[in-house]
Amino acid sequence: MAELTTHTERPTATGWASPYVALVSSRLRSQFAYRRSFALDLLGSFGVGVIEFAEIYVIFSSISVLGGLDFAGLALLFALSNISFSLADLLVGHLDRIPTYLRAGTLDAFLLRPLPVLAQLVTSDIQLRRFGRTALSIAVLVVALVVNPITFTPATIALLVITPIAGTAIFCALFVAAAGVQFWLIEGSELANSFTYGSSYASSFPTAIFTLPMRVLFTFVVPAAFTAYLPTLLILDLPGPAWTPAWLGWFSPVAAIVSWVAGMLIWRAGLRHYTGAGS
Amino acid sequence: MSVATLAVLTQTGWRRWSTYRSAALAGAVTNTVFGLIKAAITMGAVGAAGGQLAGYGPIEGATYAWLAQALIGPVNVFWSNDLVERIRTGDIAVDLSRPVDPQLAYLSADLGRAAFTFLPRGAPPLLVGALVTGLALPANLLPYLLGIVSIVLAVIISFACRWLVSLAAFWIIEMRGASTLYLMASNILCGLIVPVHWFPDWMATLAAATPFPSMLQTPIDVIMGRDTGLAALWLIGVQVAWALGVLLAGQLLWRLGTRKLVVQGG
């Protein structure tokens, strides 16, 4: 629908990006307007990261190796997984509010504007407060890089650069796919959360602890293992468990592209299915 | 105010939540998906510890994870903003004009909510758990009877704690900081993320000084028969003490808060 409208009808003096720049900057201005409130939200997001890390801390207070990784290794895995997920959550996490838009009929307003609906939705509510969790993950990453026995070769550094980018892209694609499914499910936001947050949770643990069907599910169906676990194995120079060897870690960009294709197909099918709230 | 009034409020709580069946189903799926992951983690941790970790074998570890996922719906160890919003908007004035004690009225409604969510949100994770990992549950009836008492007390304690923290809205406008702190404390210390018995000493001591283990760890311990006989009764006694103590604190704070409250308009 909205995609069919051509952009040439608009005054495009400053290029195609200008409406998005305007949207994003208005969101950022409104979020910075109440500074103390924003600071508290950042702290809250940081706190969520602390809860997540507490789990690993408590588990490792009584054991020393989990799924082939020690505490330092798991901290690296946690950091990579959480950096990607929190960045995806910051960029597109608000897509899980689609059920509210559908119920209230506010989605129709987006359909009327001459810009792709998904791009509008993404730029309309970027949540900078979620950077709190990213900040915690980056801190954990720095410590993990120091305490793990890592030989910094060009390959390791390339992995450390590629992994968060590919991981963020994969989680973004999962959010988009989950949002696309919402067009069929009414009141299904929690279901979508189990898909996105569940993948994020699974990705912060070594896939080796799962049974084979779950390992295959979280590697080849939902590519959670590509966001952190497989690259972590490569960085730490460890072999992978059966069916998911470590060298797969180099393929996280491929997993990201495949996820995006699948996510966009689901999103487009969902949007075509949408018939309006009658408002 | 009579018991009959409160019973009606419990029924309305049940009705309010049973209206949204698909939401209950979505919640059950979420709890089950997380149960699969959590059971794998606890079993992995028990395996890494050599097959036994603080009294949990692999199946006991998995059972713990499944029971926790089954109970978080009814017990609600998360946060709810209802009362905070009512205080902020002034709707609380309506509650004050009713001839029912607000705390008991809301508690009754919350018990109705918990009673409804018990089966639709609790049964699916346990069924999947029984199929996927197997469950280590006692064969005699007594732990389950005590378990039901313990779950009801857990629901009351969880409500009482959320009520108490929500009342801070009488004094502070921005509650997000307080609710985040509460969420962190309750999620970690109730045993949702890992059993309290696995905590390092300093965290175990900290948890024991709070009502949070009584919300989740205690009912699970009672149902799994980890504590039986007098030990189980002692745990339930601790729950009763927390329930009464936190409810009473809520009553006192409510009086202080309403004395300060000014609602504009008519």
Side-chain angles (χ1 to χ4, degrees):
Chain A
M1 286 174 238
E3 282 92 334
L4 296 177
T5 323
T6 54
H7 292 203
T8 46
E9 292 159 17
R10 305 176 34 79
T12 50
T14 45
W16 62 271
S18 64
Y20 300 114
V21 172
L23 273 168
V24 171
S25 63
S26 87
R27 295 313 306 160
L28 300 192
R29 270 202 310 279
S30 86
Q31 286 173 36
F32 284 130
Y34 301 95
R35 277 166 199 281
R36 202 181 299 171
S37 170
F38 180 73
L40 280 173
D41 284 347
L42 263 183
L43 202 67
S45 161
F46 189 85
V48 172
V50 172
I51 296 181
E52 304 273 328
F53 193 70
E55 174 162 16
I56 290 162
Y57 167 76
V58 173
I59 290 177
F60 275 91
S61 67
S62 35
I63 59 173
S64 50
V65 177
L66 182 66
L69 293 180
D70 58 5
F71 187 33
L74 213 73
L76 178 63
L77 172 64
F78 170 91
L80 288 175
S81 151
N82 270 268
I83 288 174
S84 294
F85 180 75
S86 57
L87 284 176
D89 200 21
L90 184 156
L91 293 170
V92 299
H94 49 279
L95 283 179
D96 66 6
R97 289 227 305 270
I98 285 264
T100 320
Y101 292 145
L102 293 180
R103 245 197 321 267
T106 23
L107 192 76
D108 297 13
F110 289 99
L111 286 166
L112 289 172
R113 295 177 199 148
L115 293 173
V117 178
L118 185 60
Q120 285 184 64
L121 282 173
V122 166
T123 46
S124 68
D125 208 7
I126 283 180
Q127 293 291 333
L128 273 189
R129 63 193 163 90
R130 287 171 173 152
F131 191 75
R133 189 166 160 187
T134 318
L136 176 92
S137 318
I138 292 174
V140 174
L141 178 70
V142 171
V143 176
L145 288 178
V146 172
V147 296
N148 275 295
I150 301 172
T151 34
F152 286 94
T153 60
T156 328
I157 292 164
L159 273 172
L160 284 171
V161 175
I162 294 169
T163 304
I165 298 170
T168 306
I170 290 173
F171 281 124
C172 285
L174 293 183
F175 271 112
V176 171
V181 175
Q182 301 297 322
F183 288 103
W184 285 281
L185 307 166
I186 311 296
E187 197 61 61
S189 59
E190 209 175 352
L191 213 65
N193 282 348
S194 78
F195 179 67
T196 48
Y197 288 75
S199 310
S200 146
Y201 186 51
S203 74
S204 61
F205 282 90
T207 320
I209 61 169
F210 297 138
T211 53
L212 189 60
M214 271 178 78
R215 203 183 310 152
V216 171
L217 172 76
F218 282 121
T219 309
F220 298 111
V221 183
V222 180
F226 285 95
T227 63
Y229 177 59
L230 296 168
T232 300
L233 291 177
L234 279 177
I235 294 170
L236 296 177
D237 200 16
L238 295 168
W243 291 91
T244 57
W247 54 262
L248 277 174
W250 285 110
F251 287 83
S252 54
V254 179
I257 292 167
V258 174
S259 320
W260 263 98
V261 171
M264 285 309 289
L265 285 176
I266 295 173
W267 169 260
R268 288 174 70 100
L271 196 60
R272 291 229 174 87
H273 176 78
Y274 179 67
T275 48
S279 47
Chain B
M1 182 175 72
S2 67
V3 176
T5 317
L6 295 178
V8 170
L9 287 168
T10 306
Q11 278 171 27
T12 58
W14 170 293
R15 273 215 300 280
R16 175 180 166 196
W17 290 86
S18 60
T19 311
Y20 304 101
R21 304 246 163 100
S22 59
L25 178 73
V29 173
T30 309
N31 291 351
T32 309
V33 168
F34 274 84
L36 274 169
I37 304 169
K38 277 181 192 281
I41 294 168
T42 45
M43 287 177 92
V46 171
Q52 276 290 324
L53 184 50
Y56 290 90
I59 305 297
E60 285 81 12
T63 308
Y64 182 90
W66 290 115
L67 276 172
Q69 289 306 112
L71 288 179
I72 48 172
V75 173
N76 188 6
V77 292
F78 301 102
W79 179 250
S80 55
N81 235 355
D82 291 5
L83 183 66
V84 171
E85 281 305 310
R86 287 185 80 79
I87 295 173
R88 205 202 324 254
T89 57
D91 286 346
I92 198 76
V94 180
D95 296 327
L96 281 164
S97 62
R98 287 183 181 134
V100 195
D101 178 79
Q103 190 194 34
L104 291 182
Y106 276 86
L107 173 61
S108 304
D110 199 53
L111 284 171
R113 177 197 61 78
F116 167 71
T117 51
F118 187 63
L119 275 184
R121 293 196 65 153
L126 288 180
L127 277 176
V128 172
L131 290 172
V132 175
T133 60
L135 297 175
L137 292 170
N140 51 334
L141 192 61
L142 189 62
Y144 300 101
L145 294 177
L146 288 176
I148 289 172
V149 176
S150 182
I151 292 169
V152 174
L153 285 165
V155 173
I156 297 174
I157 295 167
S158 167
F159 166 82
C161 289
R162 277 177 283 128
W163 175 271
L164 188 65
V165 179
S166 296
L167 291 185
F170 278 123
W171 290 273
I172 51 180
I173 293 175
E174 183 49 68
M175 279 289 288
R176 264 188 292 222
S179 62
T180 303
L181 270 180
Y182 178 81
L183 203 63
M184 280 175 67
S186 70
N187 276 249
I188 296 173
L189 298 178
C190 76
L192 174 62
I193 55 166
V194 264
V196 174
H197 304 297
W198 294 5
F199 283 5
D201 286 342
W202 70 270
M203 266 180 81
T205 315
L206 180 68
T210 69
F212 298 118
S214 290
M215 291 181 193
L216 202 70
Q217 183 72 52
T218 301
I220 294 176
D221 282 351
V222 172
I223 296 170
M224 284 182 69
R226 184 186 170 98
D227 292 285
T228 52
L230 277 180
L233 287 177
W234 167 255
L235 282 179
I236 290 174
V238 171
Q239 281 187 303
V240 171
W242 276 118
L244 291 177
V246 184
L247 281 176
L248 191 68
Q251 285 280 343
L252 294 175
L253 203 62
W254 173 265
R255 293 218 175 124
L256 287 176
T258 48
R259 206 178 295 164
K260 182 184 169 293
L261 177 77
V262 178
V263 177
Q264 307 285 345

